[in-house]
């Protein structure tokens, strides 16, 4: 099938855009539209045309859904065509071109069973599919089967499909797995089965357990009763055994108490209080003894210390002297240095004075020190001076420059021609421009005229029968075509009539001939008597009889007549003969009646035929006459044209030819009128322009000058005048601006000079203060200022040094005097020592005296402290002694030494009393409710050993029973809990329900798993089968294409065994080297995949009806050369099937000009509004 | 006199074929057979019946959990509290059951002998009940033949677990004929064993009440017991009463007019809503069968899981969470004119490889081998019975071919160019 036309009547951005795809063998069409031009919409429209507009189509943004229409015209290889419109909808979406619904099956005949899906799949390729195809080959390591199959199946990513199928299958089940759904469910099911079995309670077990429980419970009850009884008995015995020793002990203790007699009971804390008093007393005695010893030692120490009181009295003065001593020693050192510096300074001052003011000394100069304000002012003025000067110079130069410029501009203006007004000329030219390029139009019209004339002359030369000249030819009075038609009809009617008559004549003649032959046949069989013959012979007989009668009865001479009657015989014989003849004839007539009748009929028939022939011949003659007349009229019709006409049909052809000449002539007339009109316009313009030129003082138009030249001259003139005017205006503007500038500069210069003058006034005043002349330059003034500064600095320094030397000397004298006074007072022996040494010694003595004083004070304080301690110890001793005395009184004894014994007696007594009470309570408690007296009485007669033996026996019995009881408890508990679990619960049933749920889910998963598992198996099988069948031819063809697409970088493809012993694809280099797919670039992989796709497609086309191959911009990653090669391959493919190449890369359009293929490329450029259909073949490029 | 006739309780027999999924009404249908028995007891109490007849198969034969027996006993105790007697015979399942042997029923329950026909006369009701239970799992003798003739001046009831003269889907046990039954002169034959309700004849009545609760998709429709009323020695009413707590139904969705998968869902919603309404909004287990030649065929098979979960969600939604989709069968066909007419050799090869699943012996045996691991692993419950999965059977491989074709076409076509 081939798409002849795609009519984007109302779809997406398109309105009535038609795309003619009929050209070419099958045609390789490049549909070029830049971005947004509607390329994708066109591509979609193509698919919608064939397979319907999807429900949710977004191509309704201009046209409403119900208005969407795509038209198309398709052609099958057998030449049948189908034109239809597609509308959007659920049914009746195919309409005839005039809008009536058509059966959709009519379209199916052109789709050849290729569905929407498989169309995209087998006959579509886009960039993405190409890249994906290439990548998949790489990902599959070039596995041959997969690569071929994938190319054959429209680029499915087989590896991914296989992996996905297998992954999905493995997610359902894996032999050794635990996680996949089925594995999980199976193990869950096993768990549940176990759970059901665990939860299910066997009924026999239940009955047995119930019985057992009842037995255990009965036994437990009896054990419990025995236990209670035994326990009571044991307890009683135990009590008795316990009471016996206690009652003995009670008796003994009571006896001891009685033996003690009267006892003073002391309070519990008595012993503690006594101990505390004794301890206090002893401690105080010890303190007192120590204090006395210390005091004695301290008094001895204090007596040994001697204090130099005089020295100590002068301590502050000595301290002050010591402080001044360091200062005194340093000043003595500094003095020498200061004196040296003073001398140097004074020398410097002299030198400077000599320079600045010879004859003056330092003192007299001091009054001349300049004030700070003056200094600052001079410095400021000096710094401004240069700026002012520079400003003044700049202003002067600017003024000069401006004046020069002005003069130059004025000269320029003077030398310029005066401007003229060219407005009207410009207007005329504009008007002319509006009427277009008249000269060119004229030329074109003339050329067209010549062309028409040439063609008309050519036609005339080829026109037969006409000898008219070219000029006359238009006026030849030829008959109209209607007339010719009429004649043609007449002629043909005439001819038809004659022919008809001829044919009928032929028929009639042959009929006559037949009849005559029959007549002859009858005649040959013997003469046939006819009624006429009979009549004739009877007439003769009658005639004879008449003669006989006349001769016989009337006697007439009948000689003559009888001779006439029968010249040979006499009348009698003749009459007799005639009678015989008549009889004979009558007899024969009677005898041969049938023959006679037939004969007669034939004769009649022959007569009729003859008559018919005669009539026809007459008619034929008439018809021929009529034709001859028509021929005359026909000639007459052409006579005015002076033409001897041929047949009307020939003349009609002639007329057509002649008509063409007339058309040409008419066009010539039109062209002439056009030329005249253009020439008229040119004349008008010419005159107008010439007028303007004259007005502007230019040469008017001349005869020799063509209109074009004139116009050009006018344009140049106009342009020159405009330029002149512009130049004038420009210069004037500049002159006026320059004048303004000069004014400004003049003002600036004046300002600068004034500022300079002001400065000079200020300056002379300032330097005068310094005693410098008016002419002193700022530099000089500044130098003098700095020298003066230095001088005064030196003078100030000298003054300072002198002051310091004087101070040092004064301080030293004071220090000496103070030292001397102090020594005289404290240690007159040291008077001869130098003051500083004396001061140092005084200080050392003072330190020693102070140490002695400190020690004295310390010991005195200690003596006082110890005395206080001694007094406190004595007070403590008295207190403790009093306490002990009071305790003795309480215990009823005389001395503290007896206290301890009294205490012990009291404690023993109390202890015994308490023990008795405890025993009594104990006994009563164990006595089982009897009084103490009773119990003590009862116990006296008991045999303890016998009781003990009895009790041990009972206890053994008890422990056995207890063991049994706990066993039974446990047993009952466990049986109860076991039976408790069997309570009619539905847990097992619920587990069974869940197990059924799990089985159901396994069932479900198994279905899916089987499908997936088998799908993977089948797919692998299909791939292998496909490879085995197609590997040879497909690879060879794909190899050739690959070589072409890679421009010979590869020479072909082969298949070899790869790592896993599977056949893999390899590229072969021209030098025989092989390259694995892993070694190919992305682009080369794309080309490899494309080769496989195209080879598969070609194979398909060998046995199937072609379908258009839709290519959507696949060359994005191809370099120019490979892209060109690809276009060539596709162009070659278009010999077998239509190729529609959509692109929005202008580069491809350029590239395709270099494409060499026997099938041309056809271009269609479009944007959303129009489809510019520029069909170009590569030959033309 | 009023009594209830029920049979085939199959207590604690699990519901089969219900795959758990999010939103499935697990709680609503848990312990359905128990709830149905409780309903029976409640009905008996509400109607104040004089007695209850249980015509065999109280338990599932291979079910061992004694709890089940205890539950039955507890329900019988409740009847006892209401003063209602129960007459029971054992069926084939009970004979096989361990529970029966040890269970002590309360004293209002009379279990008839399994060795000989036994007759019980209740004089205050003028009632004679005759019956014999199954001593063994398979009873092939005509038990009814041994039943005594009707007791004169009594209302006679025959209690029998039988397949009568043969009933589809049921083992032939205690075979007998209606004629043989009628010859005994009883007023009412209370039969059991056949799970489908059937009034074999009236006056005298021969009745199968059907089972109490449907347990799989082959037991669709309302299930329950017969409520029978007698006045003056004549039966005046035999009425079926529904006792089931959930019901099984098959919903056939005609996808013929659907253009897309969503249209199929819409059609299914209508059918399912109708099912909910028809069954008085009780919990339902529904098998959805999507049939017909439809344009949506490919879309459905492309991603059945998606449509399954959508249908399940829809079912949950419209039933208020009480509908369980037992199974969703996609039995659609390609609509005419939508077949894949691709003639690409690769695809043709693929299609013929798929066909090889039926025709190519090597491929079939490879396929069976590929499924071998799974076959080994499958629980034996799935490998036996009416709907056994037979992965070792070449027929299974053949039947899968169409599904395989869809899987492959879908997955491979998904890689095509979208023009």
């Amino acid at each position: 099938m081939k798409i002849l036309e795609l009519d984007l009547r109302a779809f997406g951005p398109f309105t009535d855009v038609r795309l003619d795809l009929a050209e070419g063998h099958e045609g390789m069409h490049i549909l070029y539209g830049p971005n947004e031009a509607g390329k994708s919409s066109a591509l979609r429209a193509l698919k919608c045309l064939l397979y319907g507009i999807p429900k949710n189509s977004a191509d309704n943004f201009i046209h409403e859904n119900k208005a969407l229409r795509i038209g198309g015209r398709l052609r099958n290889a057998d030449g049948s065509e189908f034109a239809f419109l597609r509308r959007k909808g659920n049914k009746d979406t195919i309409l005839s071109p005039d809008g009536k619904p058509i059966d959709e099956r009519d379209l199916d005949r052109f789709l050849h069973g290729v569905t929407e899906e498989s169309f995209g799949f087998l006959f579509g390729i886009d960039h993405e599919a190409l890249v994906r195809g290439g990548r998949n080959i790489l990902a599959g390591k070039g596995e041959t089967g997969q690569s071929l199959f994938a190319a054959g199946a429209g680029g499915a990513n087989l590896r991914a499909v296989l992996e996905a199928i297998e992954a999905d299958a493995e997610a359902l089940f894996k032999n050794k797995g635990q996680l996949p759904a089925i594995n999980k469910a199976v193990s869950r099911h096993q768990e549940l089965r176990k759970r059901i079995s665990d939860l299910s309670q066997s009924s026999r077990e239940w009955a047995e357990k119930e019985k057992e429980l009842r037995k255990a419970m009965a036994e437990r009850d009896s054990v419990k009763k025995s236990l209670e009884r035994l326990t009571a008995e044991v307890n009683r015995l135990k009590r008795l055994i316990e009471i016996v020793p206690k009652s003995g002990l009670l008796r003994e203790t009571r006896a001891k108490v009685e033996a003690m007699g009267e006892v003073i009971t002391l309070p519990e804390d008595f012993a503690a209080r006594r101990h505390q008093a004794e301890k206090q007393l002893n401690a105080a005695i010890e303190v007192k003894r120590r204090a006395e010893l210390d005091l004695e030692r301290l008094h001895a120490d204090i007596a040994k210390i001697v204090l130099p009181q005089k020295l100590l009295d002068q301590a502050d003065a000595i301290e002050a002297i010591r402080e001044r001593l360091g200062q005194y020693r340093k000043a003595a050192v500094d003095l020498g240095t200061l004196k040296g510096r003073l001398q140097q300074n004074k020398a410097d001052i002299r030198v400077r004075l000599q320079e600045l003011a010879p004859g003056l000394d330092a003192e007299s100069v001091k009054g001349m020190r300049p004030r700070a304000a003056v200094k600052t002012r001079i410095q400021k003025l000096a710094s401004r001076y240069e700026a002012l000067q520079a400003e003044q110079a700049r202003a002067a130069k600017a003024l000069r420059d401006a004046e020069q410029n002005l003069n130059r501009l004025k000269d320029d203006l003077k030398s310029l021609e005066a401007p003229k007004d060219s407005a009207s000329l410009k207007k005329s030219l504009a008007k002319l421009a509006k009427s277009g390029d008249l000269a060119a139009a004229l030329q074109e019209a003339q050329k067209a005229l010549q062309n028409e004339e040439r063609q008309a002359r050519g036609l005339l030369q080829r026109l037969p029968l006409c000898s008219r000249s070219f000029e006359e030819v238009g006026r030849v009075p030829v008959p109209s075509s209607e007339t010719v038609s009429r004649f043609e009809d007449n002629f043909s009617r005439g001819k038809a009539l004659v022919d008809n008559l001829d044919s009928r004549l032929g028929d009639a003649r042959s009929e006559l001939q037949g009849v005559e032959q029959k007549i002859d046949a009858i005649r040959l069989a013997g003469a046939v008597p006819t009624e006429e013959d009979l009549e004739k012979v009877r007439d003769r007989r009658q005639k004879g009889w008449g003669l006989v009668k006349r001769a016989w009865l009337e006697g007439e001479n009948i000689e003559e007549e009888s001779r006439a009657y029968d010249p040979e015989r006499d009348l009698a014989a003749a009459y007799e003969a005639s009678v015989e003849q008549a009889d004979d004839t009558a007899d024969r007539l009677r005898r041969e009646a049938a023959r006679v009748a037939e004969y007669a009929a034939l004769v009649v028939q022959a007569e009729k035929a003859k008559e018919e022939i005669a009539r026809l011949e007459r008619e034929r003659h008439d018809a021929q006459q009529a034709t001859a007349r028509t021929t005359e009229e026909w000639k007459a019709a052409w006579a005015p044209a002076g033409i001897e006409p041929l047949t009307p049909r020939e003349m009609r052809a002639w007329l057509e030819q002649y008509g063409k000449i007339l058309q040409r002539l008419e066009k010539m007339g039109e062209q002439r009128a056009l030329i005249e009109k253009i020439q008229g316009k040119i004349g008008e313009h010419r005159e107008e322009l010439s007028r303007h030129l004259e007005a502007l003082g230019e040469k008017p138009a001349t005869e020799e000058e063509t209109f074009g030249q004139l116009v050009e001259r006018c344009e140049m003139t106009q342009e020159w005048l405009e330029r002149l005017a512009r130049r004038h205006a420009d210069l004037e503007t500049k002159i006026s601006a320059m004048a303004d500038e000069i004014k400004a500069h003049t003002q600036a210069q004046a300002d600068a000079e004034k500022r300079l003058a002001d400065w000079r006034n200020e300056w002379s005043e300032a330097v005068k203060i310094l005693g410098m002349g008016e002419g002193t330059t700022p530099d000089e003034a500044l130098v003098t200022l700095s020298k003066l500064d230095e001088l005064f600095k030196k003078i100030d320094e000298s003054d300072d040094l002198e002051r310091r030397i004087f101070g040092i000397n004064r301080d030293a004298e004071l220090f000496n005097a103070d030292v001397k006074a102090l020594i005289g007072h404290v240690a007159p022996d040291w008077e001869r020592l130098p003051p500083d040494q004396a001061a140092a010694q005084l200080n050392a003595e003072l330190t020693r005296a102070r140490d002695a004083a400190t020690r004295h004070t310390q010991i005195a304080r200690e003596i006082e402290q110890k005395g206080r301690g001694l007094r406190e110890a004595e007070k403590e001793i008295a207190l403790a002694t009093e306490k002990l005395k009071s305790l003795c009184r309480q215990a009823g004894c005389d001395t503290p030494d007896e206290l301890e014994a009294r205490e012990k007696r009291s404690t023993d007594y109390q202890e015994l009393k308490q023990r008795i009470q405890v025993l009594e309570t104990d006994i009563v408690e164990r006595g089982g409710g009897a009084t103490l007296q009773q119990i003590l009485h009862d116990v006296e007669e008991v045999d303890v050993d016998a009781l003990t033996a009895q009790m041990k026996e009972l206890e053994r019995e008890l422990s056995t029973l207890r063991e049994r009881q706990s066993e039974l408890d446990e047993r009952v508990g466990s049986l109860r809990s076991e039976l408790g679990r069997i309570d009619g619960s539905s847990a097992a049933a619920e587990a069974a329900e869940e197990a059924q749920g799990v089985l159901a889910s396994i069932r479900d998963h198994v279905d899916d798993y089987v499908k997936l598992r088998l799908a993977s198996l089948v797919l692998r099988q299909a791939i292998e089968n496909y490879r085995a069948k197609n590997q040879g031819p497909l690879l060879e063809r794909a190899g050739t294409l690959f070589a072409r697409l890679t421009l010979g970088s590869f020479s072909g493809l082969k298949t070899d065994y790869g790592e896993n012993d599977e056949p893999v694809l390899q590229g072969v280099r021209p030098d025989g080297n092989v390259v694995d797919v892993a070694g190919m670039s992305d682009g080369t992989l794309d080309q490899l995949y494309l080769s496989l796709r195209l080879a598969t497609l070609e194979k398909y086309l060998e046995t199937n009806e072609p379908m258009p191959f839709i290519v959507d911009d696949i060359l994005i990653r191809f370099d120019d050369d490979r892209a060109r090669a690809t276009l060539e391959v596709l162009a070659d493919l278009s010999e077998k099937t239509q190729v529609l190449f959509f692109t929005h890369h202008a580069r491809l359009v350029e590239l395709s000009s270099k494409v060499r293929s026997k099938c041309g490329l056809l271009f269609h450029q479009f944007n959303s509004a129009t489809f510019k259909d520029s069909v170009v073949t590569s030959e033309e490029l | 006199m009023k009594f209830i006739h029920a049979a085939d309780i199959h207590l604690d027999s699990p519901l089969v074929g219900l795959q758990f999924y999010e939103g499935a009404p697990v709680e609503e249908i848990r312990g359905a057979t128990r709830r149905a028995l409780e309903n029976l007891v409640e009905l008996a109490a509400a109607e104040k019946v004089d007695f209850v007849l249980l015509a065999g198969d109280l338990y599932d034969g291979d079910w061992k959990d004694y709890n089940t027996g205890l539950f039955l006993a507890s329900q019988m105790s409740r009847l006892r509290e209401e003063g209602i007697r129960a007459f029971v015979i054992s069926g084939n399942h009970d004979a096989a059951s361990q529970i029966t042997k040890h269970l002590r029923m309360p004293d209002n329950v009379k279990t008839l002998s399994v060795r000989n026909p036994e007759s019980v006369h209740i004089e205050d009701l003028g009632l004679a009940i005759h019956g014999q239970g199954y001593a063994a799992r398979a009873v092939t003798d005509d038990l009814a033949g041994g039943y005594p003739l009707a007791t004169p001046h009594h209302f006679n009831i025959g209690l029998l677990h039988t397949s009568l003269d043969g009933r589809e889907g049921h083992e032939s046990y205690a075979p007998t004929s209606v004629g043989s039954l009628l010859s005994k002169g009883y007023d009412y034959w209370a039969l059991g064993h056949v799970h489908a309700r059937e009034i074999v004849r009236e006056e005298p009545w021969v009745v199968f009440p059907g089972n109490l609760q449907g347990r799989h998709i082959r037991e669709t429709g309302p299930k329950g017991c017969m409520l029978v009323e007698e006045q003056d020695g004549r039966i005046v009413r035999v009425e079926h009463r529904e006792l089931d707590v959930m019901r099984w139904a098959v919903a056939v969705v005609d996808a013929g007019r659907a253009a897309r998968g969503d249209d199929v869902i819409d059609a299914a919603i209508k059918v399912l809503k109708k099912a909910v309404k028809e069954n008085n909004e009780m919990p339902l287990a529904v098998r959805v069968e999507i049939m017909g030649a439809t344009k949506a065929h490919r879309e459905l098979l492309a991603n059945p899981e998606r449509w399954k979960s959508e249908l399940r969600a829809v079912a949950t939604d419209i039933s208020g969470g009480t509908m369980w989709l037992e199974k969703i069968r996609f039995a659609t066909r390609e609509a005419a004119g939508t077949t894949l007419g691709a003639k690409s050799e690769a695809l043709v090869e693929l299609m013929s490889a798929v066909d090889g699943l039926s025709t190519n012996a090597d491929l079939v045996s490879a396929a069976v081998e590929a499924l071998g691991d799974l076959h080994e692993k499958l629980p034996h419950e799935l490998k036996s019975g009416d709907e056994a999965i037979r992965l070792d059977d070449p027929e299974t491989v053949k039947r899968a071919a169409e599904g395989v074709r869809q899987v492959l076409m879908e997955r491979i076509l998904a890689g095509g160019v979208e023009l």
Side-chain angles (χ1 to χ4, degrees), chain A residues 857-1041:
Chain A
T857 318
Q858 213 174 351
I859 293 172
R861 206 179 301 129
E862 243 175 283
I863 288 169
E864 197 198 80
Q865 212 176 343
K866 291 290 173 189
R868 236 179 2 250
L870 185 61
R871 281 190 300 278
E872 273 169 18
E874 280 164 350
K875 239 187 267 169
E876 192 81 350
I877 289 168
L879 212 63
T881 314
E882 185 49 40
K883 266 187 196 167
L884 282 173
K885 270 184 195 156
S886 140
L887 286 174
C888 285
R889 275 195 301 278
Q890 195 177 350
C893 64
D894 304 328
T895 64
D897 300 340
E898 293 167 59
L899 276 175
E900 205 174 336
R902 296 290 170 128
E903 278 166 23
K904 190 171 180 311
R905 195 174 148 77
S906 162
T907 320
D908 287 352
Y909 178 76
Q910 275 171 333
E911 233 174 60
L912 288 173
K913 288 291 258 192
Q914 197 179 353
R915 212 181 290 164
I916 289 166
Q917 202 176 355
V918 168
L919 282 169
E920 282 173 357
T921 315
D922 203 359
I923 289 166
V924 170
E925 270 171 6
R926 287 164 202 266
T931 62
L932 184 63
Q933 286 315 98
Q934 262 176 331
I935 295 166
L936 291 177
H937 178 76
D938 289 353
V939 163
E940 269 170 30
E941 287 147 35
V942 164
D943 177 356
V944 175
D945 288 344
L947 268 188
T948 310
Q950 194 186 349
M951 197 186 74
K952 283 229 171 98
E953 183 55 34
L954 284 175
E955 268 178 348
R956 258 197 305 281
E957 212 173 308
L958 257 181
S959 105
T960 318
L961 276 175
R962 278 206 194 96
E963 239 165 67
R964 183 65 191 147
Q965 188 192 27
S966 85
E967 266 172 33
L968 286 169
D969 278 348
E970 213 169 282
R971 183 81 194 122
V972 167
S974 93
L975 282 170
R976 273 213 179 118
S977 86
E978 277 173 43
L979 284 169
R981 260 181 277 141
I982 315 174
D983 59 351
S985 132
S986 60
E990 279 165 18
E993 269 176 7
E994 193 187 339
Q996 285 300 335
V998 172
L999 287 178
S1001 78
I1002 296 177
R1003 191 179 283 282
D1004 217 37
H1005 289 324
V1006 165
D1007 261 12
D1008 292 343
Y1009 177 78
V1010 167
K1011 267 188 255 169
L1012 290 168
R1013 192 74 189 81
L1014 297 187
S1016 112
L1017 192 73
V1018 163
L1019 182 52
R1020 285 183 187 280
Q1021 177 84 46
I1023 291 169
E1024 180 51 29
N1025 290 352
Y1026 184 73
R1027 184 191 65 76
K1029 277 189 203 164
N1030 295 299
Q1031 177 168 309
L1034 260 185
L1035 267 192
E1036 194 187 324
R1037 179 59 187 149
T1040 312
L1041 290 170

Side-chain angles (χ1 to χ4, degrees), chain A residues 280-347:
Chain A
Q280 196 181 358
L281 178 64
N282 292 339
I285 290 167
E286 177 60 16
V287 168
K288 186 183 166 215
R289 192 183 57 85
R290 289 238 182 99
E292 281 162 354
L293 279 174
D294 285 350
L295 274 173
E296 202 177 324
R297 184 174 44 82
L298 286 171
H299 282 298
D301 283 353
I302 208 164
K304 279 182 228 158
I305 294 172
V306 180
L307 287 179
Q309 200 53 52
K310 255 191 221 167
L311 204 59
L312 281 171
D313 290 346
Q314 293 299 320
D316 291 345
I318 294 167
E319 194 82 357
I321 288 296
R322 186 185 59 86
E323 272 163 23
R324 282 160 63 195
L325 178 60
Q327 206 183 344
Y328 168 81
R329 281 180 178 156
K330 188 174 176 289
V333 175
D334 288 351
L335 190 60
T337 322
L338 290 174
K339 278 179 180 163
R341 270 171 61 194
L342 181 61
Q343 226 162 6
Q344 176 64 41
N345 228 347
K346 285 200 170 147

